[in-house]
């Protein structure tokens, strides 16, 4: 999991607003904030 978190943080630091880490079968729920790990600037 650590490499995914580090990549998400780099994405945010490069100007992204939100990164979501999840499995592909939960992608729709993750985009709705109902699954996965979300990393934001806050």
């Amino acid at each position: 999991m650590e490499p995914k978190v580090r990549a998400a943080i780099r994405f945010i630091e490069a100007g992204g607003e939100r990164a979501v880490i999840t499995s592909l079968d939960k992608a729709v729920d993750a985009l709705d904030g109902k699954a996965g790990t979300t990393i934001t600037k806050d």
Side-chain angles (χ1 to χ4, degrees):
M1 182 72 151
E2 181 183 347
K4 295 174 189 177
V5 173
R6 288 183 183 267
I9 291 170
R10 282 195 307 270
F11 174 75
I12 298 298
E13 290 175 339
E17 294 195 23
R18 177 173 77 148
V20 180
I21 301 169
T22 191
S23 59
L24 187 55
D25 64 320
K26 300 214 185 281
V28 174
D29 286 338
L31 291 174
D32 289 336
K34 298 176 185 174
T37 301
T38 301
I39 299 174
T40 61
K41 291 182 180 185
D42 295 80

